[in-house]
Structure formats: structure tokens, C-alpha cells
Amino acid sequence: MVEMELLGVQVEMPSQSPLMLLRETAGSGRVLPVVIDTPEAQAIYRGIERIRVARPLTHDLMAAMLDVLGATLVKVTVTDLRDRTFFAEMEVTIGSATHTISARPSDAVALAVRAETPIFASEEVLDAAGQIIEVPEESSDDDDDDDDVEVDPDELLDEFKQFLDEVQPDDFGPVAGSSDPE
């Protein structure tokens, strides 16, 4: 399993499909784009921004239920990619018992954001759908060590957006099955 960080959600052009972006925290920095539905994109955004509404929405309710039941969301893992559909699992502990619950990645991440839980992806999923975003190296007169180049997350996200604007479905090869998000 590879630890990931949530870069955020954005709308992919020209399809207007919401996209959840996860990036490796170490290693090559691969980015995992996951097409999600609009309500889940809004839920993730509300979680990131800590936006509260008058009455709890689904993911807020789930977080409250975990808390009241004394359960802990230990981790979320994007486990599989089949027929262009991503799968995830949530690991939950209650006392000394551990439970694994199947979930859509968007729902699992929306809950993970609220619970401040680590997010992971399987190496197989990253190999199949991860994208390496090339970041131009900055030159410095004071330092000849290229290993210390800092990567601006906004620049990385801009470059990824450019990649999304140019990518075509055929770039990923033939796909069997449905084209439903996640």
C-alpha cells in the first residue's frame, strides 16, 4: 500500500466531470485521478474546508455515528480498478475488533477527510491509473544540488489540469464494461 494525500477536487473539462486527485506522499509522486459524482465532490470539498451546514449531511452523519459508537476509521484504501470503476475499503476498529467495509473511493475519502484518517492506494491501482506529472526543474545559482528542488502543489495541479485537457480516452487503451464513474 502506498500512502496518498488528497490534492482536492476539480471539474474536468470538457466533460464537466468532477475529479478527485490523490497524490503519492513519497516516491515518484504519482497522481491518481478518480472521476466522482458531483454530490461526493461537494462532500469532499466541504470536509476539506470544514464547512458545516445546519443539519448533518451524509458524511457528517457517518462521522458522528462512528464517534458515538466508539469506532475509529483507521485508514481508507483505494484497492482495485475494474472496468474503469475504482473500489475502496475502509478499515474501522471498534474496541479490539477490526472491520473492513467496502466503499466507493469518494465516500471513503469524504469520511477520511472528516476523521483526519490516512488514505492509501494499492500499488496495482497506481500502476494501472496513476499519472506521473513532470515538474520542470528550477535552476539556482546558489545551489547546484538538484535534489532540493521544492515542488509547488499549485504548479503540480496546474500541470495535471493541462494533462487532463489534452488526454483522450484512447490513451488508456480499450475498456470493457460500463463507463459509470468510480
Side-chain angles (χ1 to χ4, degrees):
M1 294 298 143
V2 178
E3 188 165 6
M4 308 294 286
E5 65 179 318
L6 175 64
L7 290 178
V9 291
Q10 71 175 50
V11 176
E12 177 187 12
M13 300 305 267
S15 70
Q16 298 293 317
S17 299
L19 205 61
M20 174 176 67
L21 301 173
L22 301 172
R23 178 178 61 188
E24 266 183 301
T25 58
S28 68
R30 289 175 289 186
V31 175
L32 183 63
V34 180
V35 176
I36 61 177
D37 290 323
T38 301
E40 288 75 19
Q42 292 170 342
I44 292 168
Y45 176 77
R46 282 189 195 104
I48 292 169
E49 296 296 322
R50 303 276 183 231
I51 296 171
R52 298 292 175 237
V53 293
R55 300 296 302 143
L57 298 175
T58 304
H59 300 95
D60 301 312
L61 177 63
M62 290 171 60
M65 288 176 65
L66 288 173
D67 187 47
V68 167
L69 295 171
T72 302
L73 180 61
V74 176
K75 70 178 177 179
V76 164
T77 306
V78 180
T79 57
D80 201 3
L81 173 61
R82 287 178 277 174
D83 298 327
R84 294 176 48 182
T85 300
F86 287 90
F87 293 79
E89 292 180 346
M90 300 183 304
E91 184 176 310
V92 177
T93 60
I94 302 174
S96 62
T98 299
H99 304 276
T100 301
I101 302 166
S102 180
R104 295 187 305 173
S106 57
D107 289 325
V109 168
L111 190 55
V113 167
R114 286 159 175 78
E116 298 179 4
T117 299
I119 301 166
F120 295 86
S122 74
E123 191 68 51
E124 294 80 16
V125 168
L126 282 169
D127 288 344
Q131 303 293 321
I132 295 177
I133 305 301
E134 298 295 327
V135 176
E137 291 188 27
E138 298 175 20
S139 62
S140 170
D141 295 334
D142 299 338
D143 187 6
D144 291 333
D145 187 7
D146 289 338
D147 294 335
D148 293 336
V149 173
E150 275 200 37
V151 176
D152 180 5
D154 291 331
E155 287 180 31
L156 181 66
L157 193 54
D158 288 343
E159 188 167 331
F160 188 69
K161 287 176 185 178
Q162 180 180 354
F163 163 78
L164 290 175
D165 289 341
E166 297 170 0
V167 72
Q168 299 295 317
D170 294 340
D171 294 341
F172 298 101
V175 177
S178 78
S179 62
D180 290 338
E182 290 186 88

